[in-house]
Amino acid sequence: MQTTHPLRCGRWYGLKAATASVALLVSALVAPASAATPAKGTPEHIRAATARIDGAAIRANARTTADWPSHGLDYSETRFSKLAQINEGNVKDLGLVWSYNLESTRGVESTPLVVDGIMYVTASWSVVHAVDVRTGQRLWTYDPKVDRSGGYKGCCDVVNRGVALYQGKVFVASYDGRLIALDAATGDVKWEVDTIIDHKFSYTITGAPRVYKGKVIIGNGGAEFGVRGYITAYDAASGKQVWRWFTVPGDPGKPFEDESMAKAAKTWDPAGKWWEFGGGGTAWDTMSFDPELNLMYVGTGNGSPWARSKRSPAGGDNLYLASIVALNPDTGKYVWHYQETPGDNWDYTSTQPMILADLKIEGKPRKVILHAPKNGFFFVIDRKTGQLISAEKYTPEVNWATGYGKDGRPMETPVARAGDRPREVTPSAYGAHNWHSMSFNPKTGLVYLPVQNVPVNIVDNKEWKFNGVRPGEPMSGVGWNLAMYANVEPPQSKPAGRLVAWDPVKQHAAWQQEHVSPWNGGTLTTAGNLVFQGTADGRLVAYKADTGDKLWETPTGTGVVAAPISYLVDGKQYVSVAVGWGGVYGITTRATERQGPGTVYTFAVGGTAKMPDFVAYRMGALLKGVAYNPEHYKEGTALYVSNCVFCHGVPGVDRGGNVPNLGYSAADTISNLDRFVFKGPGMPNGMPDFTGKLSADDVAKIKAFIQGTADAIRPK
């Protein structure tokens, strides 16, 4: 019988094994992509693409900006895209690739996030949409089911500024104060926490969360309603609270939470019992993060009530209102602060977006914060120490202070605190710059800043009591606590809106573009020497970043308030913007004759998609024929201001924004106003129920004001 040589046998099996290994490797390399890599837009692809997003990925992306994984693009919130496929030479060829219906009728303030062609964007009422950029089709939506009847609990529309993304989860903060973690691939809820410390108060959330070092961080709104501000960090994996830092001190009769609160309490007058009405300082929007310094920065809000004479009668700076505060992101411990508006008296929040930059100032490199808060001054602040480097007016409409001294404090004018008489303080509470995002282009060295003037005349209410219903004080009937009256005399300045390219080193404007209205959108700047901004009159515009020359524009239907973004998908550059008119100014006023649902528009060079149909704004004739008693007009005026004016505007004078102006309602509607005021059909859209707050006689007087005002302005 023939046998096989052992050596030859071993060689055979070794060769056979090696051949099999090579075959497996080749098979893996040449296998169809569907077998090795999930198809784009599938749950498997989304799960893989989003699972890699963490701090390291966000920092790595900042070197290329191929994706837009965080609210301001990078931790410094520059909103500067390094992409240049779309540039000053070819931007004229931009065209629509697709549009996506957000199915919303209120304000859209969201910055979309995009990772490998998967977009996450929010609409009003905190509804989240996941969209496939490659097709423009919906992947999933998540509705947190906010109680619409509680819409009145926020000052400034039922908006949401976007989500955060981290390790396969999408984080959204709902209008009613919950922080929710969703599966990025499916939209399923992974965990949910209630961030509100006391539901007796009207806390809301409209801002976008941020994730720093595995912690999801969010603040709250509600200073107009009498709340105490704070910011909280939650573990991204579990939702467990890690730390909380209050922005203003609590009851001095109880132990303070930390040394920073004890320090702050020394700047408040206890005679005012500020802790009973919260003090304000809500951290409702801006944050940024410097990983090298291990510092996060948060902007704080206005005082509650607005009038310092009521919340702190003897005066004082009232820390940490209207400040930028540096915190340790690991512990939430206070590190330093700079107060931009000491003793805030005018709703001069410092919650407007901030940008971290490295600049050469007076020949020396400085790590700085760039900030343009409501108060009209552009601040350059050392982000290591909080030292003020410079502060200059970024708009001419500033009369409350002439400048800032070497001590870092404002030099106030006599008009600033003359609360015993009506006076027009500029900027108004709408701010010379509000939440609308600004951007910084290191190639031009310029910040692109939406600037505005919205005139308001104010006077202190000497009789103010916390949560008292005060006819004539704006919105006090639904919980506002301003301790001020507004526009008891007509303002003298004119509304204005402009885009300003600001040089933060020289502290002056390099160029500017005037707009037809206030309340224009945030900005995006790119390495293609471009600046993109949407406008209140319904356009998306591209300018040359260095000169301000207009290069391209396209209609958007309604006004734009949010900022555009740019990113790559499969090697191609896109620009997207979420559009939906609203916000505190857009509720009552508009600059277009069109309306429609919230919409995401996505553009690329050569895009040929058709724009969606724009619907004409339907405004009826000036109200006529409602019977009323003229003797009720004066009392009706005060009741209307206390309950209706910041949502419906002045009847027949304002044109209506995303909420109708009652001066153009049908006569049958106003004649039967009680049917709308008491458990009415508008509650699912955010209309308050005034049952128990207004009487039938009150409603009759409000009708007298609405029809009487329409009659007074009717052309003779």
Side-chain angles (χ1 to χ4, degrees):
M1 182 173 70
Q2 186 178 7
T3 60
T4 305
H5 192 282
L7 179 60
R8 292 177 65 185
C9 182
R11 285 177 177 171
W12 164 247
Y13 281 107
L15 177 62
K16 186 175 181 180
T19 302
S21 297
V22 171
L24 285 171
L25 178 60
V26 171
S27 175
L29 290 173
V30 301
S34 60
T37 306
K40 303 291 187 180
T42 62
E44 294 76 17
H45 161 248
I46 299 171
R47 196 165 283 116
T50 58
R52 65 178 176 81
I53 300 302
D54 58 12
I58 290 172
R59 292 194 295 274
N61 184 75
R63 293 192 285 271
T64 65
T65 65
D67 288 328
W68 194 289
S70 186
H71 184 70
L73 176 60
D74 46 43
Y75 281 143
S76 296
E77 307 250 335
T78 62
R79 295 180 181 261
F80 168 65
S81 171
K82 296 181 179 179
L83 305 178
Q85 280 186 16
I86 301 170
N87 54 58
E88 59 182 294
N90 64 10
V91 69
K92 66 182 184 300
D93 299 321
L94 274 189
L96 184 68
V97 179
W98 52 259
S99 60
Y100 174 88
N101 187 346
L102 289 169
E103 301 175 352
S104 60
T105 59
R106 301 291 291 269
V108 175
E109 299 184 355
S110 178
T111 295
L113 303 189
V114 176
V115 173
D116 195 13
I118 307 303
M119 175 183 288
Y120 301 97
V121 60
T122 56
S124 49
W125 298 110
S126 323
V127 177
V128 184
H129 296 253
V131 184
D132 188 335
V133 173
R134 293 173 175 88
T135 64
Q137 298 301 306
R138 176 176 301 179
L139 295 168
W140 54 259
T141 61
Y142 169 74
D143 185 347
K145 303 295 184 183
V146 173
D147 181 2
R148 303 295 205 260
S149 67
Y152 71 92
K153 293 183 178 181
C155 70
C156 307
D157 206 357
V158 290
V159 295
N160 185 279
R161 294 186 193 91
V163 301
L165 188 61
Y166 190 80
Q167 294 184 343
K169 295 187 184 72
V170 175
F171 302 94
V172 63
S174 65
Y175 184 76
D176 57 7
R178 292 169 286 150
L179 181 64
I180 304 160
L182 305 173
D183 185 306
T186 64
D188 294 337
V189 175
K190 306 298 288 186
W191 54 255
E192 176 178 325
V193 296
D194 183 357
T195 73
I196 295 180
I197 58 175
D198 190 339
H199 283 275
K200 293 196 304 289
F201 297 95
S202 290
Y203 280 103
T204 54
I205 302 180
T206 57
R210 312 296 201 275
V211 183
Y212 304 144
K213 304 180 75 173
K215 289 174 279 295
V216 191
I217 302 172
I218 191 66
N220 306 75
E224 273 67 44
F225 295 82
V227 304
R228 184 188 184 194
Y230 56 91
I231 187 167
T232 314
Y234 299 89
D235 178 73
S238 66
K240 181 180 178 181
Q241 182 176 319
V242 180
W243 55 256
R244 172 171 287 154
W245 185 75
F246 287 94
T247 63
V248 297
D251 186 345
K254 301 176 181 178
F256 292 114
E257 289 82 1
D258 56 30
E259 293 180 4
S260 68
M261 292 297 99
K263 177 181 177 182
K266 296 176 182 177
T267 68
W268 295 70
D269 177 11
K273 296 185 178 181
W274 76 83
W275 57 93
E276 293 184 357
F277 39 89
T282 46
W284 52 265
D285 196 25
T286 189
M287 286 177 267
S288 58
F289 175 46
D290 186 331
E292 293 181 4
L293 297 177
N294 197 37
L295 290 177
M296 61 164 286
Y297 309 94
V298 58
T300 66
N302 56 283
S304 176
W306 288 2
R308 186 183 63 171
S309 62
K310 290 298 182 181
R311 69 173 184 267
S312 187
D317 287 350
N318 296 175
L319 293 177
Y320 297 93
L321 299 177
S323 299
I324 291 178
V325 182
L327 301 175
N328 182 317
D330 299 313
T331 63
K333 185 176 180 179
Y334 163 93
V335 179
W336 60 254
H337 80 278
Y338 174 70
Q339 190 171 41
E340 294 175 325
T341 309
D344 169 55
N345 195 57
W346 315 275
D347 189 17
Y348 283 168
T349 63
S350 289
T351 50
Q352 288 56 56
M354 69 180 84
I355 292 172
L356 309 186
D358 295 344
L359 300 180
K360 184 172 284 187
I361 299 174
E362 296 181 348
K364 297 180 180 179
R366 302 290 296 268
K367 292 183 177 296
V368 302
I369 296 172
L370 308 177
H371 199 221
K374 277 188 183 181
N375 72 15
F377 287 86
F378 193 101
F379 293 86
V380 181
I381 299 166
D382 187 303
R383 70 175 184 265
K384 292 181 180 179
T385 65
Q387 175 195 3
L388 176 66
I389 296 173
S390 63
E392 296 292 340
K393 296 178 183 179
Y394 61 82
T395 175
E397 294 104 349
V398 177
N399 71 1
W400 74 278
T402 58
Y404 278 69
K406 293 182 179 180
D407 59 357
R409 298 182 65 85
M411 296 175 284
E412 295 184 7
T413 63
V415 73
R417 299 189 187 272
D420 59 340
R421 56 184 172 83
R423 79 278 192 211
E424 185 176 350
V425 178
T426 56
S428 72
Y430 288 94
H433 170 223
N434 208 294
W435 62 267
H436 311 80
S437 308
M438 62 184 189
S439 57
F440 172 65
N441 190 321
K443 290 180 173 290
T444 64
L446 301 177
V447 173
Y448 303 98
L449 172 64
V451 177
Q452 63 187 16
N453 182 51
V454 182
V456 177
N457 185 291
I458 56 175
V459 61
D460 288 5
N461 177 4
K462 297 178 182 179
E463 306 303 320
W464 175 82
K465 299 294 182 185
F466 180 55
N467 276 348
V469 178
R470 302 165 298 280
E473 185 176 317
M475 306 307 284
S476 61
V478 292
W480 287 49
N481 281 276
L482 306 186
M484 286 187 178
Y485 298 110
N487 288 346
V488 294
E489 292 182 2
Q492 299 302 307
S493 65
K494 302 298 182 183
R498 62 185 72 95
L499 171 62
V500 175
W502 188 262
D503 186 326
V505 176
K506 297 178 181 177
Q507 282 283 36
H508 67 65
W511 56 260
Q512 65 184 41
Q513 286 278 357
E514 294 293 328
H515 294 318
V516 302
S517 168
W519 215 247
N520 299 283
T523 68
L524 159 73
T525 186
T526 77
N529 196 29
L530 297 172
V531 178
F532 291 89
Q533 184 190 30
T535 65
D537 61 343
R539 298 173 295 137
L540 179 64
V541 187
Y543 304 94
K544 280 188 71 175
D546 55 353
T547 65
D549 296 334
K550 187 170 75 171
L551 301 176
W552 170 86
E553 71 173 52
T554 186
T556 57
T558 62
V560 185
V561 292
I565 65 169
S566 191
Y567 50 91
L568 286 180
V569 177
D570 302 332
K572 186 169 186 176
Q573 184 180 357
Y574 295 84
V575 172
S576 294
V577 64
V579 176
W581 182 244
V584 64
Y585 181 80
I587 293 175
T588 62
T589 309
R590 58 187 168 83
T592 72
E593 296 302 327
R594 297 178 296 275
Q595 66 179 358
T599 304
V600 178
Y601 295 98
T602 293
F603 303 90
V605 172
T608 58
K610 182 180 179 294
M611 278 281 184
D613 292 333
F614 300 143
V615 179
Y617 189 94
R618 296 179 181 178
M619 186 169 71
L622 190 61
L623 181 66
K624 185 177 181 180
V626 176
Y628 69 95
N629 183 346
E631 293 182 1
H632 288 164
Y633 183 84
K634 184 176 180 180
E635 289 182 78
T637 302
L639 287 165
Y640 185 91
V641 169
S642 299
N643 295 280
C644 316
V645 69
F646 281 178
C647 291
H648 292 287
V650 180
V653 176
D654 295 317
R655 300 182 335 128
N658 63 23
V659 172
N661 183 281
L662 300 180
Y664 297 99
S665 298
D668 186 62
T669 298
I670 303 305
S671 295
N672 296 286
L673 191 60
D674 56 328
R675 299 180 185 175
F676 295 88
V677 168
F678 303 127
K679 299 188 186 303
M683 288 179 64
N685 297 321
M687 174 76 178
D689 174 21
F690 287 94
T691 302
K693 298 178 181 179
L694 293 174
S695 66
D697 286 345
D698 291 335
V699 174
K701 292 170 183 176
I702 290 172
K703 285 195 290 186
F705 170 72
I706 296 170
Q707 183 62 79
T709 301
D711 290 343
I713 66 169
R714 194 183 315 279
K716 300 297 189 285

